[in-house]
Amino acid sequence: MKVVMAPIEMIAWFDIPGMPRPIRFRHDGNVVKVEMISRISEEGPVIKQTKIYDCQSEIHGQMRQFQLKYEVSTCRWFLWKV
């Protein structure tokens, strides 16, 4: 996968303990629905904690894998790898 690290607009829901789940996002004017999350991992120290989501969606008629990154301290989402 290629590292993109582009900021994105995200719609997500949060469960009771506060774990965010991405639903859909906008990148370069295109809206992508997150169809499947295969893995969620955490990295970084407590101050700069991030969550990495390994996802899969249909983009332009093809199933594509990508990674989303969520910065807990700033509440920002990024399209990390495509």
Side-chain angles (χ1 to χ4, degrees):
M1 282 194 270
K2 178 180 153 187
V3 175
V4 178
M5 197 58 175
I8 55 175
E9 296 176 349
M10 176 64 72
I11 294 177
W13 62 269
F14 291 76
D15 58 14
I16 301 277
M19 180 70 160
R21 302 284 181 177
I23 297 174
R24 66 179 179 261
F25 64 92
R26 181 178 302 157
H27 179 256
D28 289 338
N30 298 317
V31 175
V32 177
K33 180 182 176 187
V34 177
E35 295 180 18
M36 186 178 83
I37 301 170
S38 58
R39 186 176 69 133
I40 302 170
S41 58
E42 295 183 12
E43 65 179 31
V46 175
I47 296 170
K48 188 75 171 169
Q49 183 181 15
T50 58
K51 296 185 183 297
I52 307 295
Y53 295 81
D54 292 335
C55 304
Q56 184 174 336
S57 294
E58 185 175 330
I59 301 172
H60 302 298
Q62 294 182 353
M63 289 304 282
R64 303 277 311 263
Q65 292 183 346
F66 55 92
Q67 288 185 335
L68 301 171
K69 182 179 262 194
Y70 175 68
E71 288 184 351
V72 176
S73 62
T74 61
C75 299
R76 295 178 61 196
W77 287 91
F78 297 93
L79 177 60
W80 191 33
K81 292 182 182 178
V82 177

PDB file of all heavy atoms in Angstrom, residues 4 14 26 29 34 36 38-40 42 44 49 52-54 66 68 72 75 78:
ATOM      1  N   VAL A   4      -0.494   7.839   1.917  1.00  0.00           N
ATOM      2  CA  VAL A   4      -1.121   9.051   1.398  1.00  0.00           C
ATOM      3  C   VAL A   4      -1.148  10.141   2.480  1.00  0.00           C
ATOM      4  O   VAL A   4      -0.825  11.289   2.217  1.00  0.00           O
ATOM      5  CB  VAL A   4      -2.561   8.755   0.915  1.00  0.00           C
ATOM      6  CG1 VAL A   4      -3.236  10.016   0.425  1.00  0.00           C
ATOM      7  CG2 VAL A   4      -2.552   7.694  -0.157  1.00  0.00           C
ATOM      8  N   PHE A  14     -19.738   6.483  17.786  1.00  0.00           N
ATOM      9  CA  PHE A  14     -18.941   6.108  18.950  1.00  0.00           C
ATOM     10  C   PHE A  14     -19.784   5.216  19.851  1.00  0.00           C
ATOM     11  O   PHE A  14     -20.923   5.551  20.155  1.00  0.00           O
ATOM     12  CB  PHE A  14     -18.504   7.360  19.727  1.00  0.00           C
ATOM     13  CG  PHE A  14     -17.511   8.202  18.987  1.00  0.00           C
ATOM     14  CD1 PHE A  14     -17.914   9.020  17.936  1.00  0.00           C
ATOM     15  CD2 PHE A  14     -16.177   8.176  19.323  1.00  0.00           C
ATOM     16  CE1 PHE A  14     -16.989   9.793  17.250  1.00  0.00           C
ATOM     17  CE2 PHE A  14     -15.251   8.944  18.645  1.00  0.00           C
ATOM     18  CZ  PHE A  14     -15.663   9.753  17.605  1.00  0.00           C
ATOM     19  N   ARG A  26     -15.181  11.537   3.002  1.00  0.00           N
ATOM     20  CA  ARG A  26     -15.042  12.256   1.742  1.00  0.00           C
ATOM     21  C   ARG A  26     -13.566  12.535   1.504  1.00  0.00           C
ATOM     22  O   ARG A  26     -12.869  13.059   2.370  1.00  0.00           O
ATOM     23  CB  ARG A  26     -15.806  13.566   1.783  1.00  0.00           C
ATOM     24  CG  ARG A  26     -15.715  14.335   0.469  1.00  0.00           C
ATOM     25  CD  ARG A  26     -16.510  15.601   0.488  1.00  0.00           C
ATOM     26  NE  ARG A  26     -17.892  15.262   0.768  1.00  0.00           N
ATOM     27  CZ  ARG A  26     -18.772  16.119   1.284  1.00  0.00           C
ATOM     28  NH1 ARG A  26     -18.410  17.337   1.556  1.00  0.00           N
ATOM     29  NH2 ARG A  26     -20.001  15.738   1.525  1.00  0.00           N
ATOM     30  N   GLY A  29     -13.500  14.985  -3.081  1.00  0.00           N
ATOM     31  CA  GLY A  29     -14.854  15.148  -3.594  1.00  0.00           C
ATOM     32  C   GLY A  29     -15.648  13.865  -3.729  1.00  0.00           C
ATOM     33  O   GLY A  29     -16.824  13.898  -4.068  1.00  0.00           O
ATOM     34  N   VAL A  34     -17.426   2.934   4.227  1.00  0.00           N
ATOM     35  CA  VAL A  34     -16.558   1.910   4.805  1.00  0.00           C
ATOM     36  C   VAL A  34     -17.403   0.646   4.953  1.00  0.00           C
ATOM     37  O   VAL A  34     -18.277   0.565   5.807  1.00  0.00           O
ATOM     38  CB  VAL A  34     -15.986   2.353   6.169  1.00  0.00           C
ATOM     39  CG1 VAL A  34     -15.143   1.253   6.778  1.00  0.00           C
ATOM     40  CG2 VAL A  34     -15.183   3.633   6.016  1.00  0.00           C
ATOM     41  N   MET A  36     -16.223  -2.676   5.330  1.00  0.00           N
ATOM     42  CA  MET A  36     -15.724  -3.688   6.256  1.00  0.00           C
ATOM     43  C   MET A  36     -14.479  -3.176   6.980  1.00  0.00           C
ATOM     44  O   MET A  36     -13.613  -2.572   6.362  1.00  0.00           O
ATOM     45  CB  MET A  36     -15.374  -4.972   5.508  1.00  0.00           C
ATOM     46  CG  MET A  36     -14.997  -6.111   6.423  1.00  0.00           C
ATOM     47  SD  MET A  36     -14.639  -7.627   5.552  1.00  0.00           S
ATOM     48  CE  MET A  36     -12.946  -7.350   5.084  1.00  0.00           C
ATOM     49  N   SER A  38     -11.468  -4.799   8.984  1.00  0.00           N
ATOM     50  CA  SER A  38     -10.882  -6.107   9.278  1.00  0.00           C
ATOM     51  C   SER A  38     -10.033  -6.115  10.542  1.00  0.00           C
ATOM     52  O   SER A  38      -9.880  -7.159  11.182  1.00  0.00           O
ATOM     53  CB  SER A  38     -10.050  -6.600   8.098  1.00  0.00           C
ATOM     54  OG  SER A  38      -9.031  -5.689   7.786  1.00  0.00           O
ATOM     55  N   ARG A  39      -9.474  -4.942  10.911  1.00  0.00           N
ATOM     56  CA  ARG A  39      -8.612  -4.903  12.097  1.00  0.00           C
ATOM     57  C   ARG A  39      -8.534  -3.475  12.609  1.00  0.00           C
ATOM     58  O   ARG A  39      -8.516  -2.525  11.835  1.00  0.00           O
ATOM     59  CB  ARG A  39      -7.225  -5.401  11.754  1.00  0.00           C
ATOM     60  CG  ARG A  39      -6.289  -5.533  12.936  1.00  0.00           C
ATOM     61  CD  ARG A  39      -4.986  -6.130  12.510  1.00  0.00           C
ATOM     62  NE  ARG A  39      -4.263  -5.168  11.680  1.00  0.00           N
ATOM     63  CZ  ARG A  39      -2.991  -4.859  11.825  1.00  0.00           C
ATOM     64  NH1 ARG A  39      -2.274  -5.449  12.740  1.00  0.00           N
ATOM     65  NH2 ARG A  39      -2.407  -3.975  11.051  1.00  0.00           N
ATOM     66  N   ILE A  40      -8.461  -3.338  13.921  1.00  0.00           N
ATOM     67  CA  ILE A  40      -8.248  -2.043  14.563  1.00  0.00           C
ATOM     68  C   ILE A  40      -7.042  -2.191  15.481  1.00  0.00           C
ATOM     69  O   ILE A  40      -6.995  -3.104  16.301  1.00  0.00           O
ATOM     70  CB  ILE A  40      -9.468  -1.596  15.384  1.00  0.00           C
ATOM     71  CG1 ILE A  40     -10.712  -1.519  14.507  1.00  0.00           C
ATOM     72  CG2 ILE A  40      -9.200  -0.243  16.055  1.00  0.00           C
ATOM     73  CD1 ILE A  40     -11.998  -1.316  15.274  1.00  0.00           C
ATOM     74  N   GLU A  42      -3.802   0.085  17.770  1.00  0.00           N
ATOM     75  CA  GLU A  42      -3.421   1.355  18.391  1.00  0.00           C
ATOM     76  C   GLU A  42      -1.910   1.486  18.352  1.00  0.00           C
ATOM     77  O   GLU A  42      -1.187   0.502  18.426  1.00  0.00           O
ATOM     78  CB  GLU A  42      -3.915   1.418  19.832  1.00  0.00           C
ATOM     79  CG  GLU A  42      -5.411   1.417  19.953  1.00  0.00           C
ATOM     80  CD  GLU A  42      -5.885   1.560  21.386  1.00  0.00           C
ATOM     81  OE1 GLU A  42      -5.055   1.878  22.270  1.00  0.00           O
ATOM     82  OE2 GLU A  42      -7.071   1.358  21.619  1.00  0.00           O
ATOM     83  N   GLY A  44       1.487   4.492  19.321  1.00  0.00           N
ATOM     84  CA  GLY A  44       1.925   5.752  19.899  1.00  0.00           C
ATOM     85  C   GLY A  44       1.735   5.827  21.397  1.00  0.00           C
ATOM     86  O   GLY A  44       1.002   5.041  21.991  1.00  0.00           O
ATOM     87  N   GLN A  49      -1.682   9.282  20.928  1.00  0.00           N
ATOM     88  CA  GLN A  49      -2.282   7.986  20.605  1.00  0.00           C
ATOM     89  C   GLN A  49      -3.077   8.066  19.305  1.00  0.00           C
ATOM     90  O   GLN A  49      -3.815   9.020  19.072  1.00  0.00           O
ATOM     91  CB  GLN A  49      -3.201   7.534  21.732  1.00  0.00           C
ATOM     92  CG  GLN A  49      -3.792   6.173  21.513  1.00  0.00           C
ATOM     93  CD  GLN A  49      -4.724   5.775  22.637  1.00  0.00           C
ATOM     94  OE1 GLN A  49      -5.146   6.600  23.431  1.00  0.00           O
ATOM     95  NE2 GLN A  49      -5.054   4.516  22.694  1.00  0.00           N
ATOM     96  N   ILE A  52      -5.552   2.816  14.157  1.00  0.00           N
ATOM     97  CA  ILE A  52      -5.398   2.470  12.746  1.00  0.00           C
ATOM     98  C   ILE A  52      -6.495   1.466  12.387  1.00  0.00           C
ATOM     99  O   ILE A  52      -6.636   0.443  13.054  1.00  0.00           O
ATOM    100  CB  ILE A  52      -4.016   1.843  12.454  1.00  0.00           C
ATOM    101  CG1 ILE A  52      -2.890   2.730  12.982  1.00  0.00           C
ATOM    102  CG2 ILE A  52      -3.868   1.543  10.970  1.00  0.00           C
ATOM    103  CD1 ILE A  52      -2.765   4.065  12.331  1.00  0.00           C
ATOM    104  N   TYR A  53      -7.240   1.761  11.341  1.00  0.00           N
ATOM    105  CA  TYR A  53      -8.331   0.904  10.880  1.00  0.00           C
ATOM    106  C   TYR A  53      -7.967   0.321   9.516  1.00  0.00           C
ATOM    107  O   TYR A  53      -7.758   1.070   8.563  1.00  0.00           O
ATOM    108  CB  TYR A  53      -9.627   1.708  10.743  1.00  0.00           C
ATOM    109  CG  TYR A  53     -10.150   2.245  12.050  1.00  0.00           C
ATOM    110  CD1 TYR A  53      -9.635   3.411  12.603  1.00  0.00           C
ATOM    111  CD2 TYR A  53     -11.162   1.595  12.731  1.00  0.00           C
ATOM    112  CE1 TYR A  53     -10.112   3.912  13.795  1.00  0.00           C
ATOM    113  CE2 TYR A  53     -11.644   2.082  13.933  1.00  0.00           C
ATOM    114  CZ  TYR A  53     -11.118   3.237  14.455  1.00  0.00           C
ATOM    115  OH  TYR A  53     -11.590   3.725  15.646  1.00  0.00           O
ATOM    116  N   ASP A  54      -7.875  -1.000   9.425  1.00  0.00           N
ATOM    117  CA  ASP A  54      -7.698  -1.680   8.136  1.00  0.00           C
ATOM    118  C   ASP A  54      -9.098  -1.923   7.583  1.00  0.00           C
ATOM    119  O   ASP A  54      -9.898  -2.640   8.193  1.00  0.00           O
ATOM    120  CB  ASP A  54      -6.971  -3.011   8.315  1.00  0.00           C
ATOM    121  CG  ASP A  54      -5.520  -2.833   8.732  1.00  0.00           C
ATOM    122  OD1 ASP A  54      -4.949  -1.769   8.440  1.00  0.00           O
ATOM    123  OD2 ASP A  54      -4.969  -3.750   9.349  1.00  0.00           O
ATOM    124  N   PHE A  66      -7.678  -0.228   2.276  1.00  0.00           N
ATOM    125  CA  PHE A  66      -7.054   1.037   2.664  1.00  0.00           C
ATOM    126  C   PHE A  66      -6.983   1.099   4.178  1.00  0.00           C
ATOM    127  O   PHE A  66      -7.594   0.280   4.868  1.00  0.00           O
ATOM    128  CB  PHE A  66      -7.830   2.232   2.097  1.00  0.00           C
ATOM    129  CG  PHE A  66      -9.294   2.258   2.465  1.00  0.00           C
ATOM    130  CD1 PHE A  66      -9.731   2.929   3.591  1.00  0.00           C
ATOM    131  CD2 PHE A  66     -10.219   1.601   1.679  1.00  0.00           C
ATOM    132  CE1 PHE A  66     -11.067   2.951   3.928  1.00  0.00           C
ATOM    133  CE2 PHE A  66     -11.562   1.617   1.999  1.00  0.00           C
ATOM    134  CZ  PHE A  66     -11.990   2.295   3.126  1.00  0.00           C
ATOM    135  N   LEU A  68      -7.253   3.786   7.547  1.00  0.00           N
ATOM    136  CA  LEU A  68      -7.646   5.071   8.088  1.00  0.00           C
ATOM    137  C   LEU A  68      -6.929   5.264   9.413  1.00  0.00           C
ATOM    138  O   LEU A  68      -6.717   4.302  10.152  1.00  0.00           O
ATOM    139  CB  LEU A  68      -9.155   5.130   8.313  1.00  0.00           C
ATOM    140  CG  LEU A  68     -10.028   4.922   7.090  1.00  0.00           C
ATOM    141  CD1 LEU A  68     -11.486   4.791   7.507  1.00  0.00           C
ATOM    142  CD2 LEU A  68      -9.853   6.064   6.110  1.00  0.00           C
ATOM    143  N   VAL A  72      -6.467  10.514  18.424  1.00  0.00           N
ATOM    144  CA  VAL A  72      -7.356  10.643  19.568  1.00  0.00           C
ATOM    145  C   VAL A  72      -7.296  12.048  20.176  1.00  0.00           C
ATOM    146  O   VAL A  72      -8.334  12.642  20.482  1.00  0.00           O
ATOM    147  CB  VAL A  72      -7.026   9.567  20.628  1.00  0.00           C
ATOM    148  CG1 VAL A  72      -7.884   9.748  21.871  1.00  0.00           C
ATOM    149  CG2 VAL A  72      -7.209   8.175  20.038  1.00  0.00           C
ATOM    150  N   CYS A  75      -8.831  14.512  17.461  1.00  0.00           N
ATOM    151  CA  CYS A  75     -10.078  14.044  16.836  1.00  0.00           C
ATOM    152  C   CYS A  75     -10.055  14.232  15.321  1.00  0.00           C
ATOM    153  O   CYS A  75     -11.069  14.531  14.703  1.00  0.00           O
ATOM    154  CB  CYS A  75     -11.298  14.739  17.429  1.00  0.00           C
ATOM    155  SG  CYS A  75     -11.502  14.452  19.186  1.00  0.00           S
ATOM    156  N   PHE A  78      -7.545  10.644   8.990  1.00  0.00           N
ATOM    157  CA  PHE A  78      -6.680  10.696   7.804  1.00  0.00           C
ATOM    158  C   PHE A  78      -6.863   9.424   6.980  1.00  0.00           C
ATOM    159  O   PHE A  78      -7.045   8.336   7.544  1.00  0.00           O
ATOM    160  CB  PHE A  78      -5.206  10.795   8.203  1.00  0.00           C
ATOM    161  CG  PHE A  78      -4.875  12.037   8.961  1.00  0.00           C
ATOM    162  CD1 PHE A  78      -4.906  12.050  10.348  1.00  0.00           C
ATOM    163  CD2 PHE A  78      -4.520  13.204   8.300  1.00  0.00           C
ATOM    164  CE1 PHE A  78      -4.602  13.189  11.054  1.00  0.00           C
ATOM    165  CE2 PHE A  78      -4.207  14.345   8.998  1.00  0.00           C
ATOM    166  CZ  PHE A  78      -4.256  14.348  10.379  1.00  0.00           C
TER     167      PHE A  78
END
